[in-house]
């Protein structure tokens, strides 16, 4: 196959561009793109910078400006560029975000978070890792493929989106609503990763935050018969829910580091301020992370059934609320094309043996999976997002540029 030779050329092209890639990254990081919902100027200036770079390099740019009266300038930009391939109906997308979280307390930074500083092979700046490194790597991967002038099996493109750090309301959610992605697309979301690039994330757990409020009757602690101790009912209820959930939803999935669903009683609201009062109110919370094989509706139905029994048994009023509910889309198959090509590119370029993993947290990858689009989440990072002294390793930036460029040349078809 000619692909060995191609990959070698591609890698050496990226290596000769390494200084230019690094310089571009530094220029981009100087442009503050803190999310406007977190007090920043937003993505607009950074988007303009990226758009003119893409145009200067001969790309047609698709720009989706979403109106947002809460942002300086009133818009939230999303940008895309692509190279056309033989199968013009299929797309491989690299999707990264332009916005960042704020720098936090400046005292904790050793350098200016908006004046990138390079030391010991690391670039220190807010947004260097999350998600600047992957954005720049996918951009220069596209550029490298363009310069290589080889036929691509399908279209290969990038999206630089807004608002990932808040709720993606002006970014990916808008793009999905506009049906810009298809089930036949291959999506890579390089917005989470591992230090050696071994972990290719293909599954996430569903998330459910439950709040349970028990109302009894508050009285003096010496006269329990006159009242109804909501705290006692709440404790018993919490333990019963805990036992039921953990014994009923016990399937394992070895993809996940924590291979079973988790149901953790977490927050407990303060009740009375003194020891000699029987509490009339009890408020407790559960954080549930459920394997995608289960339905959150079933979990909720089981919880509500026990709550109804408790109401009858104790003559208390017990209210159930879901504070947060994000069902996971179906896991991306290990033999899906996006998983296969990323696996091949990582093995070849990073020279590690990749493994497929699932996580208990959630990324925007889940939004694509929910629409039936196979999605892999991958990058090579030390995992320091949102921290003071956030950094990206130059070696990872260059490596991931090569991986993103090589992947479409290593597909299974
Ligand atoms: Zn991110």
């Amino acid at each position: 196959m000619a692909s060995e030779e191609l990959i070698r050329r591609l890698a050496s092209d990226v290596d000769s561009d390494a200084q230019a890639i690094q310089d571009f990254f530094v220029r981009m990081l100087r442009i503050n793109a803190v999310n406007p919902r977190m007090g920043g100027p937003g993505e607009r200036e950074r988007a303009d910078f990226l758009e003119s770079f893409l145009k200067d390099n001969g790309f047609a740019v698709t720009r989706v400006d979403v109106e947002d009266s809460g942002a300086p300038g009133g818009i939230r930009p999303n940008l895309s560029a692509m190279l056309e391939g033989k199968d013009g109906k299929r797309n491989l997308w690299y999707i990264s975000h332009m916005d960042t979280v704020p720098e936090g307390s400046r005292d904790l930074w050793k350098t200016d978070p908006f004046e990138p500083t390079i030391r010991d092979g690391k670039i220190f700046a807010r947004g260097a890792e999350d998600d600047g490194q992957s954005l720049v790597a996918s951009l220069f991967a596209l550029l490298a493929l363009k310069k290589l002038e080889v036929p691509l099996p399908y279209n290969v493109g990038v999206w630089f989106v807004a608002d990932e750090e808040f709720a993606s309301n002006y970014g990916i959610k808008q793009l999905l609503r506009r049906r810009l992605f298809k089930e036949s697309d291959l999506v890579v979301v390089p917005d989470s990763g591992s230090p050696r690039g071994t972990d290719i994330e293909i599954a996430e757990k569903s998330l459910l935050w439950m709040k349970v409020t028990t109302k009894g009757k508050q009285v003096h602690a010496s006269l329990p018969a006159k009242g109804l101790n909501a705290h006692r009912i709440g404790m018993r209820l919490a333990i019963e829910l805990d036992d039921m959930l953990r014994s009923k939803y016990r399937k394992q999935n070895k993809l996940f580091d924590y291979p079973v669903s988790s149901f953790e009683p977490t927050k407990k609201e303060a009740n009375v301020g003194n020891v000699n009062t029987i509490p009339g109110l009890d408020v407790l919370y559960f954080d549930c992370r459920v394997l995608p094989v289960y339905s959150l509706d079933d979990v909720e139905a089981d919880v509500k059934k026990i709550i109804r029994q408790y109401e009858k048994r104790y003559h208390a009023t017990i209210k159930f609320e879901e504070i947060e509910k994000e069902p996971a889309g179906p896991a991306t198959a290990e033999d899906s094309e996006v998983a296969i090509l990323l696996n091949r590119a990582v093995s070849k370029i990073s020279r590690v043996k990749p493994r497929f993993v699932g996580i208990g947290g959630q990324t925007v990858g889940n939004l694509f999976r929910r629409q039936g689009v196979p999605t892999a989440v991958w990058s090579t990072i030390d995992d320091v997002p949102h921290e003071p002294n956030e950094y990206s390793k130059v070696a990872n930036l260059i490596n991931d540029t090569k991986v993103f460029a090589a992947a479409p040349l290593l597909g299974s078809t």
Side-chain angles (χ1 to χ4, degrees), residues 209-212 234 238 264-270 282-287 323:
W209 287 353
M210 309 188 294
K211 177 181 182 185
V212 181
E264 291 295 312
T266 51
K267 182 171 161 179
K268 183 90 172 77
E269 284 184 14
D282 183 87
V283 187
L284 61 93
Y285 297 80
F286 271 78
D287 175 299
I323 303 297

Side-chain angles (χ1 to χ4, degrees), residues 97 99 129-132 164-165 190-192 385-386:
H97 63 89
D99 61 317
E129 177 182 290
D130 183 15
D131 196 18
E164 192 278 335
E165 294 294 0
D191 191 19
S192 174
H386 304 198

Side-chain angles (χ1 to χ4, degrees), residues 30-32 41-50 77:
R30 276 196 193 115
I31 306 169
N32 181 329
E43 306 86 357
R44 196 171 180 176
E45 195 188 341
R46 188 172 280 194
D48 292 344
F49 171 74
L50 291 166

Side-chain angles (χ1 to χ4, degrees), residues 328-365:
T332 297
E334 291 183 27
D335 60 358
S336 64
E337 180 144 11
V338 68
I340 289 171
L341 58 85
L342 205 51
N343 193 7
R344 287 186 186 158
V346 172
S347 314
K348 204 169 246 329
I349 304 288
S350 308
R351 295 177 192 284
V352 295
K353 193 173 163 7
R355 56 174 197 151
F356 292 114
V357 301
I359 59 168
Q362 287 196 336
T363 73
V364 293

